Each structure stands twice: as structure tokens, then as C-alpha cells.
Amino acid sequence: MLRLFIAVELPPDLQRKLSSIKNEMKKVKEAKWVEPQNLHLTLKFLGNCSEEKVPIIIESVASSVKNAKPFAFKLNGLGCFPSNKRARVFWIGIKEGEEDLIKLQQFVEEALKPLGFKKEEKAFHAHVTLARLRRFQDMRLGIASIETEEFSTQFIQVKSITLFQSRLTPSGPVYSEIVKIPLKG
């Protein structure tokens, strides 16, 4: 079985910049920060899948996004799930290009539905997870103290999406690219 997800990759220099937020959030306790090389924007988490299913997943997703045009988006704004007052997941959001990300996520959802993958019940909220908190924390003051302008000035080009394998290890997850699926539209 392979643990899989589909995501938009972030440029390595941006991954390093985003990981610097950790230094500004020293008051956050019991947090598992995402390693810089693992920062990405998830479109769909597939969970455990048989290796035999991988080619049909690739074919279906590639077919669904073949008319999607490359686009760009910008990051901006920090927030938490389920709320900034009772945070468990700390993220950076999207300033521009969210509509294109939502459309791309819907293409992926539609491609995977006939293969038995359940459609997400909650509305898609495009974001990059920065940390997972082991207990609920109030993040309102910490978030207010961080300026995200340096991240919002950079456009992130989306020319492909990537099918990743995630292997859980004692030191954290290790992500391996299985295939990049180009947007050709």
C-alpha cells in the first residue's frame, strides 16, 4: 500500500522563507512544524492505495486537468483551523489565484470520484500548513505580530501538480514524487 496525496509544489526558496515563520512564533508550544522541504499546497489526500491503482489515478487526473491552464497565486495571511482562538493547524492562506486553485482541486476531485475516492465534505480552503499543534492553543496574538507581506509579493507559478507518496517515519513524514502532471490548457 502507498500513502498518496496530490499537491502543488512550492519553490525551494519560498519553502525556506516560510519556515522562518517558526522563528517568529517561539511562544507556540507543542507544535510539529512542517519541514521546509515538505511545505506544499495539498489538493487531495488519497490515503492508502494499492500500487496497482496508481496508473489509473495518474491517467484519470491527467485527463481531468489536460485543459487546465497554468496560472499563478500568491500567499498571504496567517490563520488556524478550526479557529485562531482554538488552533490545531497553523497555516498561510492565499491572496490571489485562489479561484484557480479551487477549480484545479475540483478537477482532481471529479477525476478521483469514479475511482472510489470520497469527495471532501467541507469546502476546499486553499492553504499551506505550517505546523500542527498537539493541543488547542490561542494563536490570535502570535498571528497578529507576524507580517506576511514578504510572502505575498511573490507569485507562485503552477504549471503542474504532483502525485506524492508519503512515508511515515519516526522522525516525520518523507515525501517522494511519483509523477508531475502538467497543466496544458
Side-chain angles (χ1 to χ4, degrees), residues 5-17:
F5 67 95
I6 297 172
V8 172
E9 292 186 66
L10 301 179
D13 61 327
L14 181 60
Q15 290 173 320
R16 285 189 293 276
K17 274 187 188 176

Side-chain angles (χ1 to χ4, degrees), residues 30-138:
E30 300 179 53
K32 173 67 178 141
W33 292 90
V34 177
E35 295 296 324
Q37 70 275 11
N38 286 345
L39 289 167
H40 63 271
L41 192 151
T42 301
L43 295 173
K44 178 76 175 172
F45 179 74
L46 306 177
N48 291 324
C49 302
S50 66
E51 286 188 46
E52 296 78 35
K53 207 168 186 175
V54 171
I56 188 76
I57 290 170
I58 294 169
E59 184 181 313
S60 294
V61 172
S63 176
S64 75
V65 300
K66 70 181 178 192
N67 294 323
K69 293 179 180 173
F71 62 95
F73 68 93
K74 287 183 176 182
L75 296 173
N76 190 39
L78 299 170
C80 298
F81 294 132
S83 70
N84 292 352
K85 187 176 179 183
R86 287 182 37 92
R88 288 298 299 260
V89 174
F90 178 47
W91 49 258
I92 187 163
I94 308 303
K95 182 177 183 180
E96 294 177 38
E98 186 170 25
E99 300 81 21
D100 291 320
L101 285 165
I102 290 170
K103 195 182 304 180
L104 188 58
Q105 190 270 345
Q106 289 171 344
F107 283 143
V108 171
E109 284 277 10
E110 291 302 317
L112 295 171
K113 202 164 55 174
L115 304 179
F117 294 97
K118 278 188 166 183
K119 191 173 178 177
E120 295 294 327
E121 291 180 12
K122 294 179 183 175
F124 178 68
H125 178 85
H127 68 279
V128 175
T129 297
L130 300 173
R132 291 175 180 79
L133 311 177
R134 293 188 178 93
R135 60 178 175 84
F136 287 109
Q137 296 184 46
D138 187 343

Side-chain angles (χ1 to χ4, degrees), residues 161-177:
I161 57 177
T162 305
L163 176 64
F164 282 101
Q165 177 184 2
S166 170
R167 283 179 276 125
L168 300 177
T169 71
S171 58
V174 176
Y175 302 152
S176 308
E177 177 187 317

